[in-house]
Structure formats: structure tokens, C-alpha cells
Amino acid sequence: MGTVVDSGKKEANGSSLSEKKVTVVFVLGGPGSGKGTQCTNIVEHFGYTHLSAGDLLRAEKESGSENGTMIQNMIKEGKIVPSEVTIKLLQRAMQANNNDKFLIDGFPRNEENRAAFESVTGIEPEFVLFFDCSEVVMERRLLGRNQGRADDNIDTIRKRFKVYMESTLPVIEYYNSKGKVRKIDAEKPVEEVFEAVKSVFTPLHEKVA
């Protein structure tokens, strides 16, 4: 299970995240690697709660808060939002949920994110699910989807690729050195990708059961 250490930090409702024994799986891969689709499948088949760091940040951005304005500017520039902002949003979402199994999608984005998450929450991931996909395929997918997102224009997409290559790959390398990375070929058809994902989650699911 993901290790939880009591950090002594409590939210306003009086409950501490460390009082919940949780299993966390980080889901990483470049923009357009298909993480969201596969997370939906994992939720349906294995009962995890899916927390998308990007969705939480976008929701905060749209809330009109002071943090929201800062987040909007950073996303527009393709930059990484400060760790403490994203971690607070993740903590809030995990505490508000009765589940004890979480997929954290699109986080940690860099080494500083990773170290801060483990330090603040006291949680290490059970493993990292890494969707390996070439930049050419990811760019084609992003340009082809029609979700009306302002951050899906070609310039911003390439900024996001650059940030991903420079910042997120070292996180994957760190966890790989600890034997915690499960790499999935994300260029295959969706059904084949999920078959590979199932082979990763089924043993863990059976062990817990």
C-alpha cells in the first residue's frame, strides 16, 4: 500500500488525510497520451477515484479566486503551477472522498512536485502508471480532438511538450530507479492499451481483495 506518515496537518474540518490509509497511483504521460480515457476504464473496473490535477486546476481557475487568476496565467504560458497550490487541491479532493484508492493523473509534473507531495502528505505512490507515446502521435491527437480548450492550440501544445520532456521525465526516471514504474505502450488502440493496464492492476486488486 502507499505509505502514509502522519504529517500532523489537519484541514478546517478537523480530519487529517494521514488518518486515511490510502493507496495512490500516479498516472503520467505526455499531453495526448490517452491518460484520461484509461483512467475512466480503471475507475469502472477497479473502483479507484480519478483525480486529475489539470481538472482541479481548471476548476480553481474558473472559480475566480486569487489562486485562479495565477493558475490561468501559468497555464496560458504552459508553465507548471506551484506545488503547494496543486497539492492543496489534491489533498482537499482526497479528504472529501470516502474512497481509499486514488489515481492522481498528471501529477507530479516535476521533481519539486514529487518531493513536496511526499513531504506534505506523507504518501508514496504504490506505483507510477506511465503512458509512453511519441510526440508526433500526441500532437496529432491533441489537434484532432474538439474539446474547445484554449490550451489546445499548436504553440501551447509544443510548450506543454517541452515542459513535459524537461520536467516530468526525470520524475519517471526517479520512480523507475525504485522499481515503481509500470510502462504502457500508449500508441496502440484504446482496447489494447487497456488490456495492458488491466495486467498491471489485476494482481494488486486481487492482493487487496
Side-chain angles (χ1 to χ4, degrees):
M1 302 285 280
T3 306
V4 181
V5 181
D6 190 351
S7 65
K9 297 182 183 294
K10 293 182 183 290
E11 292 290 314
N13 62 10
S15 65
S16 169
L17 182 58
S18 59
E19 289 167 7
K20 293 175 69 172
K21 190 170 181 62
V22 299
T23 297
V24 167
V25 173
F26 287 147
V27 183
L28 295 176
S33 60
K35 301 189 305 296
T37 298
Q38 297 303 329
C39 283
T40 299
N41 289 335
I42 294 165
V43 167
E44 289 176 1
H45 284 77
F46 296 105
Y48 280 72
T49 292
H50 175 210
L51 299 178
S52 163
D55 287 350
L56 290 171
L57 289 167
R58 277 188 284 276
E60 185 72 11
K61 179 186 72 173
E62 290 161 11
S63 73
S65 70
E66 185 178 338
N67 272 344
T69 302
M70 178 269 293
I71 290 167
Q72 181 173 8
N73 291 334
M74 296 200 77
I75 290 177
K76 188 176 180 181
E77 290 299 314
K79 294 178 180 176
I80 292 177
V81 174
S83 297
E84 62 269 20
V85 174
T86 308
I87 292 169
K88 185 174 181 181
L89 294 174
L90 288 167
Q91 279 185 302
R92 188 193 304 166
M94 291 169 75
Q95 283 175 308
N97 195 290
N98 292 326
N99 203 352
D100 61 357
K101 300 187 297 184
F102 296 94
L103 300 173
I104 297 185
D105 169 10
F107 185 91
R109 298 277 301 279
N110 58 23
E111 268 291 292
E112 196 266 332
N113 275 179
R114 178 198 65 74
F117 181 86
E118 292 187 7
S119 173
V120 170
T121 67
I123 298 170
E124 290 186 14
E126 181 73 23
F127 57 83
V128 175
L129 191 65
F130 169 42
F131 289 98
D132 190 25
C133 194
S134 72
E135 188 170 327
V136 171
V137 171
M138 290 189 288
E139 183 174 307
R140 186 172 70 237
R141 288 175 178 174
L142 288 175
L143 291 174
R145 71 186 187 185
N146 185 22
Q147 295 184 354
R149 277 173 48 179
D151 54 345
D152 275 354
N153 63 72
I154 190 68
D155 290 337
T156 303
I157 285 170
R158 287 179 177 163
K159 283 180 187 174
R160 290 166 69 198
F161 284 147
K162 186 171 186 290
V163 170
Y164 167 69
M165 293 298 294
E166 292 175 353
S167 303
T168 307
L169 285 182
V171 176
I172 294 164
E173 289 164 2
Y174 169 84
Y175 283 119
N176 194 45
S177 73
K178 300 186 76 171
K180 284 181 175 277
V181 172
R182 308 291 182 266
K183 185 163 83 168
I184 304 292
D185 180 354
E187 295 190 15
K188 293 181 178 179
V190 172
E191 296 78 10
E192 289 182 38
V193 173
F194 187 54
E195 285 303 312
V197 169
K198 280 199 289 189
S199 72
V200 170
F201 277 87
T202 299
L204 176 64
H205 188 68
E206 289 172 347
K207 183 175 71 174
V208 171

